[in-house]
Amino acid sequence: MARLILHGIPVSAGISIGKVFFAWRDNISSLPRGIVAPGAAQSEVERLQAAMEVVQNELAQARDRVPAELKDQAAIIDSHLLIAADPKLIKDASRRILEQNITAEWGLEQAVEGIAVAFSNIEDPYIRERVQDVRVVADRIYKRLMGASHSLKRPFQERMVLMAHDLTPADTIELPLDKIMSFATSEGGKTSHTGILARSMLIPAVVGVSNLEDNINDGELVIVDALRGLIIVDPNEDELADYTELKFQFEAYQKAVHRECRLPAETVDGYRVEVDANIEMTEEVAQVIDSGGEGVGLYRTEYAYLSRTKLPTEDQLYEEYSELASIMAPSKVIFRTLDVGADKMLTEQSLMQEQNPALGLRAIRYCLRNIDVFKNQLRAILRASVHGNVALMFPMISGLQEIRQAKMILNEVRMELDRAHQPYNPNMPVGIMIELPSAVLIADSLAQEVDFFSIGTNDLIQYSLGIDRGNRHVSYLYQPLHPAIVRSIKYVVDAAHREGIEVSVCGEVAADPYCIPILLGMQIDSISIAPQSIPGIKRIIRRTNMEECKTLLNEVLRTATVSRINRVVKDTIFKQFPEELTFYSSLIDYDD
Ligand code: PEP
Ligand code: MG
């Protein structure tokens, strides 16, 4: 038996066997707040000074990379540089370390809290808020103090299993992909963006693994079973042999499924559904075509913003979008406008330190507040629309006023392009994502405003059931077949069809072998899923009978409890697709 088996949430399918590389993301809530050995306080002061110097150098280098036109960004970094080099801050923290004989981290924390108290008495709200800058800089220093040399960028000698407390999408973008076999994190939930990126990079991943940091050491041999969500630490020979065999079978299954991925997704009784791809980067386009994707149903545009140190220019975006549109033409590409916030923060958003960022200035709300950023992107999308079959959709629409405002700005941009004699497609379809319960309930009115709907179930589940999609503690409540979710999706599909517009599902639910028959039963027009899920899901659709899907849906709609629904669905689907269910993880939990 293995020394230990840890459980987590599988978010990107696959098996890997290899040695662990731990990239610690420091958890500020666990700062070492302790007394140091007598006589050791002076070396704590020196450690603090050294960390502050490193941070000063990092900031100075970042400042040098900011182009002249981005004055605001440069000013922010300048102010952070001043804080990192503030002699009063160093003096105050050092005094506390020496007087109380405490760790450098604790001394700095006390000094920062002292500043926070002093700032809280300042009347001018702008200056009062500046304490957040002090905290941001202090976080950087804590990370340095707590061993950030153990960072993601440390070169690997061989291919490793990457483990971390958490990986944000911005971290994931920096990963040396050729050296990573798979990854596992302590944080994260079923549909967190980290998992979405892992799938797009074809890296097996397990998130939300409790006790990861406490139980595994650098260099230890592990099996990452990202089909079932297991980390097997120090496996024995039998386990190694079994998993080598399972890995082989999984890869053989993938190849077999891949062979039929170009065939249309049509049920045995002739119901045809369009299967598109969700992608984050233009580089994935080859994978879309290779896996049998018919178009791009969701282009998550935010990664171009997160992977740069400054906002992209209109021309940079235009180049990216028109390249994608022309490669995919005549197939469609739906560009979703910027959906930053929550777990995909721009630097300026993290500085705001919102209490509940998922309920904060995210997605369309951020864009309507930052019109220049919004218009920049809209111009780029409109200009790219002449190079292919381009559509646009707005995320996180909560009501009519928001969609009307967004459309008004889009019109302004059209007029600006007219004045500048820049070509664009005046008939470019405009849709919205249905991700909020409020949008579900007014779907009939919203349908009159737009050309199509795309149901974002990742967020719809998060906001309907009130659970953070990235939080492993509540991931057991992430139930896609909760009656409220099934009824919501059905309500939106029916409203869209009554108003004569098409409706797609672009959340992870559409890539779940247990959920897809329910969506088919509702007569959705298309789905959009990660490219690597396309072959398997198409295969399931091609072996499904629409009449049976409708019967199953009706039974689900009559059932009141989620556990009963899961059981009914499980029993029905498992009989039909035992093989798929070995190789695919599901969002559904079962209590056998
Ligand atoms: C969704 O919310 O379901 C969705 C597809 O958008 P994202 O996962 O990017 O939030
Ligand atoms: Mg969403």
Side-chain angles (χ1 to χ4, degrees), residues 281-497:
M281 299 159 220
T282 40
E283 294 78 35
E284 290 174 88
V285 74
Q287 219 189 318
V288 175
I289 296 163
D290 185 51
S291 57
E294 295 174 69
V296 173
L298 166 62
Y299 185 62
R300 291 185 167 98
T301 58
E302 41 282 359
Y303 291 94
Y305 292 74
L306 295 172
S307 58
R308 288 183 170 90
T309 48
K310 56 192 169 81
L311 291 171
T313 64
E314 177 189 326
D315 282 344
Q316 281 170 331
L317 293 176
Y318 165 68
E319 213 168 286
E320 176 187 327
Y321 300 166
S322 50
E323 189 192 353
L324 179 58
S326 52
I327 298 174
M328 286 305 297
S331 303
K332 75 170 177 223
V333 179
I334 302 180
F335 290 95
R336 174 179 70 189
T337 60
L338 195 55
D339 182 10
V340 284
D343 61 346
K344 289 178 293 183
M345 295 263 189
L346 298 175
T347 314
E348 72 173 83
Q349 289 179 303
S350 23
L351 291 176
M352 284 168 53
Q353 297 204 339
E354 292 174 294
Q355 288 278 341
N356 292 300
L359 303 180
L361 208 57
R362 191 193 152 177
I364 194 70
R365 304 164 184 189
Y366 171 85
C367 288
L368 293 176
R369 183 68 68 81
N370 293 276
I371 302 285
D372 290 347
V373 178
F374 193 29
K375 280 189 159 182
N376 208 39
Q377 184 180 39
L378 294 177
R379 260 194 303 273
I381 297 173
L382 276 168
R383 284 174 58 201
S385 67
V386 294
H387 296 289
N389 180 358
V390 169
L392 167 157
M393 67 180 172
F394 300 114
M396 288 272 294
I397 293 292
S398 66
L400 276 176
Q401 202 180 344
E402 236 165 15
I403 177 62
R404 287 184 182 152
Q405 214 180 331
K407 277 170 46 185
M408 202 179 73
I409 294 167
L410 183 64
N411 265 339
E412 280 173 25
V413 172
R414 286 195 184 109
M415 287 189 292
E416 284 165 21
L417 290 177
D418 285 338
R419 282 197 292 275
H421 304 290
Q422 297 257 31
Y424 63 90
N425 171 11
N427 302 316
M428 179 184 71
V430 175
I432 55 169
M433 294 191 69
I434 302 286
E435 304 184 277
L436 294 168
S438 59
V440 170
L441 291 171
I442 58 161
D444 47 352
S445 314
L446 290 171
Q448 293 172 12
E449 296 284 330
V450 292
D451 300 312
F452 64 92
F453 281 164
S454 189
I455 307 178
T457 51
N458 303 338
D459 278 315
L460 183 60
I461 296 173
Q462 154 163 272
Y463 295 118
S464 300
L465 302 183
I467 41 165
D468 176 348
R469 62 194 263 191
N471 182 337
R472 69 190 158 96
H473 302 293
V474 288
S475 75
Y476 71 100
L477 288 171
Y478 205 94
Q479 292 288 5
L481 296 183
H482 188 294
I485 302 301
V486 179
R487 288 179 205 181
S488 294
I489 300 175
K490 171 104 175 55
Y491 189 82
V492 173
V493 174
D494 290 348
H497 287 166

